[in-house]
């Protein structure tokens, strides 16, 4: 038995989200893979441990972030410290409930999360499922991406399952061609990919969700579930193929973390043995609750 049911890896940041009073901003903590880990911790049974792997600094905000993750019940043993750097920050701007982000993260400690190959191997050996995103890869220097790919391939050979959300953020990448090449590379190392159709269409030119599925299966992914913001969800690959069409829709208060929470709902259901269609419904139901509130992490 591996100690961790899921180990998520990536960057957690200080989050500023607007409040009804325009002069007041709410300060929280979030980051795409942390959001998924946070919801997973709430959805999985007590005995199934969820861990988070990142790097933080030594200052007050870093300490508070680490305490926040621990207080959520997430295992923090794989959070390393960089005495020379600090955690990043992002703010959510809302236009009719649709979110856009402003980042201050270019020198964050998390950019070094793959600096130590031995630490990656030791952490990955403890986890049954490894969860990462395109943002996890985007923030790394080229050598970090290579170390991460090697460690994931080794873990996969050792029996770990790799789950990847491409979470395409062109602004975080040096250029679009590198983004597409690296996303395709990490997709090829993954057992399950959870892309969002609008982003995939914009960056890869996919004509419909079946094209997204075909492209990622061609890249070497095991299975693909294409999120679609309330439109029918298509899935294909090793777990079977189909479309879930009759999903309820809602107007978001804040769409932040819709995708991250869908992933948590999907994974929690799949880890309890649910088939893809039931897992998709569980993911969608959680995302609907999350977009009814401001900020990425909302009480459920
Ligand atoms: O952009 C980043 O680096 C972040 O991690 C900030 C956000 O918390 C997530 O990106 C939300 O993700 P969505 O589910 O796509 O709304």
């Amino acid at each position: 038995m591996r100690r961790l049911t899921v180990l998520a890896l990536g960057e957690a940041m200080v989050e500023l989200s607007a409040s009804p009073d325009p002069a007041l901003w709410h300060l929280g903590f979030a980051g795409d893979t942390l959001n998924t880990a946070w919801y997973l911790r709430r959805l999985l049974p007590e005995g199934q441990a969820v861990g988070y792997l990142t790097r933080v600094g030594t200052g007050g905000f870093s300490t508070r972030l680490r305490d926040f993750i621990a207080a959520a019940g997430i295992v923090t043993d794989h959070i390393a410290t960089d005495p020379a750097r600090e955690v990043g920050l992002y703010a959510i701007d809302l236009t009719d409930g649709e979110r856009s982000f402003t980042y201050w993260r270019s020198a964050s400690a998390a950019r070094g999360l793959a600096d130590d190959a031995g630490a990656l191997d030791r952490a990955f050996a403890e986890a049954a499922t490894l969860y990462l995103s395109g943002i996890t890869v985007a923030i790394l220097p080229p050598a970090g991406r290579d170390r991460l790919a090697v460690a994931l391939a080794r873990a996969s050979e050792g029996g770990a399952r790799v789950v990847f959300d491409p979470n395409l953020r062109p602004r975080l990448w040096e250029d679009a061609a590198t983004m597409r090449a690296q996303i395709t590379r990490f997709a090829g190392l993954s057992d399950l990919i959870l892309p969002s159709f609008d982003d995939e269409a914009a960056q890869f030119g996919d004509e419909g969700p079946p094209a997204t599925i075909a492209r990622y299966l061609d890249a070497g992914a095991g299975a693909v579930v294409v999120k679609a913001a309330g439109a029918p969800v298509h899935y294909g690959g090793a777990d079977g193929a189909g479309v879930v069409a009759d999903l309820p829709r809602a107007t978001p208060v804040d769409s932040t973390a819709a995708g991250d929470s869908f992933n948590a709902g999907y994974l929690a259901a799949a880890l309890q043995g649910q088939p893809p269609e039931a897992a998709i419904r569980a993911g969608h139901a959680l995302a609907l609750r999350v977009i009814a509130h401001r900020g990425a992490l909302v009480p459920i």
Side-chain angles (χ1 to χ4, degrees):
M1 268 295 276
R2 296 172 192 247
R3 190 167 74 98
L4 301 172
T5 300
V6 180
L7 177 66
L9 42 145
E11 176 168 17
M13 293 167 286
V14 174
E15 176 193 80
L16 292 179
S17 55
S19 72
D21 175 350
L24 292 180
W25 287 76
H26 177 259
L27 190 146
F29 296 102
D32 66 338
T33 53
L34 175 66
N35 302 342
T36 301
W38 194 87
Y39 288 113
L40 269 174
R41 176 61 285 151
R42 269 149 196 75
L43 296 170
L44 288 174
E46 271 298 288
Q48 302 199 327
V50 177
Y52 197 64
L53 183 149
T54 189
R55 279 196 184 190
V56 299
T58 52
F61 284 103
S62 288
T63 306
R64 279 153 77 176
L65 171 59
R66 188 196 287 266
D67 291 349
F68 172 84
I69 296 173
I74 296 169
V75 175
T76 57
D77 302 6
H78 299 296
I79 300 183
T81 304
D82 180 344
R85 291 182 169 218
E86 268 309 322
V87 291
L89 164 73
Y90 84 108
I92 304 171
D93 272 320
L94 287 178
T95 309
D96 298 331
E98 207 39 67
R99 87 281 189 273
S100 63
F101 304 129
T102 306
Y103 300 119
W104 296 266
R105 67 194 299 184
S106 54
S108 65
R111 294 190 176 236
L113 71 83
D115 282 1
D116 180 347
L120 289 182
D121 284 341
R122 285 191 295 280
F124 290 3
E126 291 187 1
T129 294
L130 298 164
Y131 176 79
L132 72 156
S133 78
I135 297 177
T136 312
V137 182
I139 62 164
L140 300 179
R145 292 172 188 161
D146 293 346
R147 276 190 291 272
L148 179 59
V150 168
L152 286 173
R154 223 191 319 264
S156 191
E157 270 167 35
R161 219 174 124 70
V162 178
V163 180
F164 179 59
D165 180 346
N167 223 356
L168 301 170
R169 297 278 191 277
R171 261 185 304 154
L172 296 181
W173 291 90
E174 49 273 54
D175 56 71
T178 304
M179 173 181 74
R180 286 192 289 265
Q182 292 290 332
I183 292 290
T184 304
R185 173 195 197 188
F186 280 83
L189 295 167
S190 302
D191 298 285
L192 172 65
I193 318 277
L194 299 163
S196 293
F197 180 67
D198 290 351
D199 295 347
E200 301 293 323
Q203 302 303 326
F204 285 94
D206 297 342
E207 286 190 348
T212 306
I213 294 174
R215 179 169 52 76
Y216 281 128
L217 293 180
D218 274 355
V224 187
V225 177
V226 185
K227 292 170 282 184
V233 172
H234 294 240
Y235 64 97
D239 304 328
V243 184
V244 182
D246 57 336
L247 295 166
R249 298 186 82 140
T251 303
V253 172
D254 174 358
S255 65
T256 304
D260 307 332
S261 56
F262 176 99
N263 296 352
Y266 183 96
L267 274 180
L271 287 166
Q272 304 312 306
Q274 301 280 326
E277 173 154 350
I280 287 166
R281 290 187 191 284
H284 187 75
L286 179 60
L288 279 183
R289 293 170 69 181
V290 170
I291 64 173
H293 298 269
R294 290 171 190 256
L297 301 181
V298 308
I300 54 163

